[in-house]
Amino acid sequence: MDSILVRGGRRLEGRIPISGAKNACLTLMPAALLTDEPLTLTNAPRLSDIRTMSALLESLGCEVASLQDGRVLVVGTQAIANHRADYDLVRKMRASILVLGPMLARDGHAVVSLPGGCAIGARPVDLHLKGLEALGATLELRDGYVHASATDGLRGATIDMPMVSVGATENILMAATLARGTTLLKNAAREPEIVDLVHCLRRMGAQIAGEGSATIEVQGVDRLRGATHPVVADRIELGTYMLAPAITGGDVELLGGRRDLVAAFADKLEAAGIEVRETDAGLRVSRANGRIRPVDVVTAPHPGFPTDLQAQMMALLATADGTSHLEERIFENRFMHAPELVRMGAQIEVHGGTATVTGVERLKGAPVMATDLRASVSLILAGLAAEGETRVARVYHLDRGYERVEEKLSACGAEIERIREAA
Ligand code: UD1
């Protein structure tokens, strides 16, 4: 298993290009199941999660062509050959559940394995299922699989989501595009990835209004067509790399970055004493001399502070001049990076959903272990600021969501390398 070796203490300066969003691409690819014409996605990120989604779609009979070195994906099938998404593929990645709504909407039946839990929490899919039932689907849970059917097709409905869910909003939205009549989705997720999905569905001929607000209205249509759509910039990759100059006292321009994608996060960085400026090419982040100021953070659905940046923010606050509180409200078990940061000299106490972080002047390099995608990159950020060497093991988590992380950081002066090891 590969690991990443970071020698800390270098000030980062330069430019980092931001890739297309993993989480947007993972919902745009299944949208191709809604039509018999190909969907072309440009600005796709080159990540192992995207390859997992390609394999899943191929198992259903889709052709997935990866062009321009993986930057462009052409996905489609004239007819879905297999309506069963197998456990072996689904268990690798929760986003696999997003094939359910589109297959059901297009052909009136689908069988999809339940994804199960994951390291950061139980993460059920009940909201996806209730939403599809409200659209007229009959669902049965058997042998770990959801068996879904809608013999007379789906029909529009008013659905009031009991809690905000990104994935459930996406699944229900996609299904509603081909349902008969109007669907009103209340308490919908407002994440930029939802807005991007709606833009793509609209290019495919869907009639949707209200994306980015809590109420989305979908007017069902008889069929959708192929389209070409550029994947939105990855706001989590953007936020992560905004922290690189913040934690090392550097100055980096994030090419393709947009403040509106990370507004709540950028506000907190500024409160911590970091400068964030919009430029013609993106966002420029710098930190003058002096310690980071402590700030309190509470994760929340968009436009709140994203849970996917909580681990990385904790790395920054571990070096602040004072005590910060980080409250995790989306996932129940998302502090696995805390004990690893403590190995690097951080002072962190976790009680329930709140981490109390008392900053230290200097973190110290140590061997640490990545436990999930965002946790692993928080350890790399900490390593950039730490004295000495940090070796992050189990970086396969990282490869699920960050493209060429060593290259992007070393181009700005970081001392970072991948140690390849035989499996
Ligand atoms: C997506 C993102 C993930 C991010 C998360 C929250 C993708 C591929 N993943 O995950 O990176 O961390 O949004 O911003 O886009 N819940 C239920 N029942 C459901 C669905 C969700 O109880 O049917 C709960 C979850 O356990 C969690 C909360 O709702 O506590 C939010 O989850 P959700 O927004 O659905 O996250 P994902 O779409 O899985």
Side-chain angles (χ1 to χ4, degrees):
M1 268 185 273
D2 292 358
S3 52
I4 288 207
L5 189 68
V6 188
R7 284 184 201 87
R10 300 283 294 263
R11 186 173 184 272
L12 295 202
E13 260 181 60
R15 292 173 160 183
I16 298 180
I18 300 305
S19 301
K22 168 181 85 78
N23 286 350
C25 202
L26 287 177
T27 182
L28 293 165
M29 292 170 76
L33 291 166
L34 290 164
T35 167
D36 55 9
E37 293 178 8
L39 175 65
T40 301
L41 300 172
T42 61
N43 195 37
R46 294 171 293 184
L47 300 167
S48 65
D49 267 9
I50 301 298
R51 290 190 287 277
T52 304
M53 182 56 85
S54 298
L56 175 63
L57 291 170
E58 280 168 350
S59 79
L60 305 175
C62 285
E63 268 186 48
V64 184
S66 174
L67 312 174
Q68 292 180 27
D69 203 16
R71 285 264 160 268
V72 175
L73 298 173
V74 185
V75 190
T77 179
Q78 282 186 352
I80 299 173
N82 167 34
H83 291 80
R84 182 184 167 94
D86 227 61
Y87 176 65
D88 276 346
L89 284 165
V90 174
R91 74 184 164 85
K92 288 190 185 165
M93 192 178 66
R94 282 183 49 83
S96 306
I97 192 76
L98 296 172
V99 301
L100 178 59
M103 279 203 283
L104 190 59
R106 176 159 160 195
D107 289 339
H109 62 110
V111 179
V112 177
S113 168
L114 287 169
C118 72
I120 60 172
R123 296 179 89 181
V125 290
D126 55 316
L127 301 172
H128 299 236
L129 305 185
K130 285 199 185 103
L132 296 173
E133 269 179 334
L135 294 177
T138 306
L139 303 182
E140 227 187 294
L141 299 183
R142 251 188 289 136
D143 319 323
Y145 282 78
V146 184
H147 295 250
S149 64
T151 352
D152 297 328
L154 297 173
R155 45 171 201 278
T158 295
I159 304 171
D160 201 346
M161 305 289 288
M163 68 189 271
V164 178
S165 160
V166 177
T169 300
E170 291 166 344
N171 232 339
I172 297 166
L173 255 182
M174 288 193 277
T177 58
L178 292 178
R180 273 194 315 279
T182 306
T183 297
L184 208 57
L185 190 58
K186 296 185 178 169
N187 202 22
R190 292 184 272 170
E191 269 67 4
E193 293 75 28
I194 304 280
V195 174
D196 199 43
L197 173 65
V198 170
H199 288 172
C200 178
L201 291 170
R202 209 175 267 142
R203 287 172 203 255
M204 295 167 71
Q207 289 189 20
I208 307 176
E211 74 276 14
S213 78
T215 304
I216 303 180
E217 189 177 317
V218 185
Q219 193 69 50
V221 296
D222 287 340
R223 68 178 295 271
L224 294 178
R225 53 180 184 267
T228 297
H229 176 80
V231 180
V232 67
D234 194 319
R235 65 196 166 95
I236 307 302
E237 191 198 27
L238 170 63
T240 300
Y241 288 131
M242 286 168 76
L243 285 168
I247 203 165
T248 62
D251 183 350
V252 172
E253 189 174 19
L254 295 312
L255 305 176
R258 276 166 35 199
R259 189 174 176 120
D260 66 296
L261 293 175
V262 286
F265 170 75
D267 290 349
K268 289 292 177 188
L269 277 193
E270 285 171 341
I274 307 298
E275 197 176 322
V276 180
R277 273 169 298 157
E278 289 178 279
T279 64
D280 289 344
L283 283 183
R284 186 165 170 183
V285 177
S286 56
R287 174 177 146 203
N289 291 333
R291 295 273 301 272
I292 299 290
R293 287 198 290 271
V295 289
D296 290 343
V297 169
V298 181
T299 64
H302 195 79
F305 190 100
T307 172
D308 284 354
L309 286 172
Q310 176 259 109
Q312 302 89 311
M313 191 69 179
M314 190 185 286
L316 177 76
L317 296 176
T319 66
D321 188 14
T323 299
S324 310
H325 300 93
L326 287 126
E327 197 179 329
E328 173 57 54
R329 292 225 184 137
I330 308 291
F331 294 112
E332 67 266 33
N333 184 24
R334 209 176 197 181
F335 285 135
M336 276 124 29
H337 42 284
E340 299 301 308
L341 290 170
V342 167
R343 293 174 54 76
M344 300 178 69
Q347 286 185 24
I348 304 169
E349 275 181 43
V350 175
H351 292 289
T354 302
T356 304
V357 183
T358 304
V360 295
E361 202 149 338
R362 200 74 202 268
L363 293 169
K364 299 225 162 37
V368 288
M369 186 126 70
T371 48
D372 69 52
L373 173 54
R374 308 306 172 184
S376 48
V377 84
S378 77
L379 299 173
I380 290 181
L381 288 170
L384 292 174
E387 201 175 291
E389 252 179 38
T390 298
R391 189 178 178 129
V392 185
R394 293 202 183 163
V395 291
Y396 55 85
H397 291 292
L398 192 74
D399 296 329
R400 290 186 47 206
Y402 290 89
E403 186 181 315
R404 298 183 295 120
V405 64
E406 322 86 279
E407 271 176 57
K408 289 190 183 190
L409 288 172
S410 55
C412 293
E415 269 193 74
I416 177 169
E417 63 180 306
R418 182 175 291 249
I419 313 287
R420 292 194 188 276
E421 277 161 38

